[in-house]
Amino acid sequence: MAPKTIKAALVDALEDLSTEDMKKFVHKLLDRREEPRVKRNRVDGKDRLDVVDVMVATFTEEPALKLALDILRDICCQNVAERLREATAGLTSKPADSGQNQESKDEHFVDKHRRALIERISNIDPILDQLLGSVIQHGAYDRIRAQLTTQDKVRELFKCLRAGPEVKDRFYTVLQEEEGYLIRDLQKQQ
């Protein structure tokens, strides 16, 4: 049964997170630079329901939903983010998605060449090492490294790139450094 409120959907989503992912979620929530900011003493050691209460009290429901979706994508919990987005589809005045699924006339290079990048990146390890901490966190890094083939590792990495254009820009910069020949070849094909 679908939740009747955004708040209930947020609680359900946070309940789906592992203890480690919940710690990451709270860390990202506290690490925000924009106002209003959440104070550590309001969420430290609190359960998931309390964290949602603080988010809704601080931001109101719809902005709290958008923030939760962004944080879930940042910590590579795309499945939870997608379920949350689907659960709240009819509850918001506008789509809760932060624009990542909207069509754009200027498709990002890494999106446009996703298939070729999956097939042709030859050494993913130095790319992952450079992205660790800025684009991917340790949990996602470990999940990616656990994949058996380079192609599967790149596919898993693409799940973390859904967080937005800044993340894709960073990935593109690292690709230029580590796989410059491939990037030049793909640019010639445009």
Side-chain angles (χ1 to χ4, degrees):
M1 184 171 151
K4 293 185 166 86
T5 65
I6 292 172
K7 186 175 177 180
L10 286 167
V11 171
D12 289 348
L14 295 190
E15 290 291 339
D16 289 343
L17 296 178
S18 68
T19 302
E20 179 184 338
D21 286 337
M22 187 62 194
K23 285 180 185 177
K24 290 178 191 175
F25 184 92
V26 169
H27 177 76
K28 286 280 189 181
L29 180 62
L30 293 171
D31 202 35
R32 292 178 63 255
R33 301 279 183 242
E34 300 89 23
E35 292 293 331
R37 295 183 69 183
V38 174
K39 295 185 179 186
R40 180 172 301 280
N41 65 349
R42 296 198 60 206
V43 292
D44 252 2
K46 306 290 188 203
D47 65 19
R48 288 156 168 82
L49 181 60
D50 290 334
V51 171
V52 170
D53 284 341
V54 168
M55 289 178 69
V56 170
T58 305
F59 306 106
T60 69
E61 280 193 341
E62 288 190 29
L65 172 61
K66 182 185 179 315
L67 177 61
L69 289 168
D70 290 343
I71 291 173
L72 289 167
R73 289 183 185 116
D74 283 349
I75 63 172
C76 293
C77 291
Q78 280 77 14
N79 293 339
V80 176
E82 184 58 24
R83 285 193 304 271
L84 176 59
R85 188 189 62 74
E86 289 171 1
T88 58
L91 302 175
T92 60
S93 58
K94 58 185 177 187
D97 207 335
S98 58
Q100 89 177 25
N101 290 331
Q102 294 175 356
E103 288 297 319
S104 169
K105 66 177 184 172
D106 297 323
E107 187 176 21
H108 199 285
F109 182 89
V110 299
D111 292 328
K112 184 175 184 178
H113 297 288
R114 182 180 193 276
R115 175 181 270 168
L117 292 170
I118 289 170
E119 292 172 359
R120 296 178 59 191
I121 288 177
S122 59
N123 190 3
I124 190 72
D125 292 336
I127 294 169
L128 293 175
D129 292 341
Q130 286 197 47
L131 296 175
L132 181 62
S134 62
V135 171
I136 57 175
Q137 302 305 316
H138 287 282
Y141 179 87
D142 293 340
R143 282 194 302 276
I144 294 167
R145 294 287 312 269
Q147 301 300 312
L148 297 178
T149 67
T150 299
Q151 288 79 20
D152 288 339
K153 289 177 184 181
V154 177
R155 282 186 194 96
E156 191 69 23
L157 174 59
F158 264 96
K159 292 178 184 177
C160 297
L161 298 179
R162 297 178 186 161
E166 320 76 42
V167 171
K168 293 174 186 177
D169 291 343
R170 175 72 178 123
F171 178 52
Y172 177 73
T173 301
V174 171
L175 281 174
Q176 287 178 309
E177 295 170 18
E178 298 295 334
E179 300 270 343
Y181 69 92
L182 173 58
I183 299 303
R184 287 188 294 278
D185 187 49
L186 293 174
Q187 287 172 332
K188 288 178 191 174
Q189 296 175 13
Q190 287 186 338

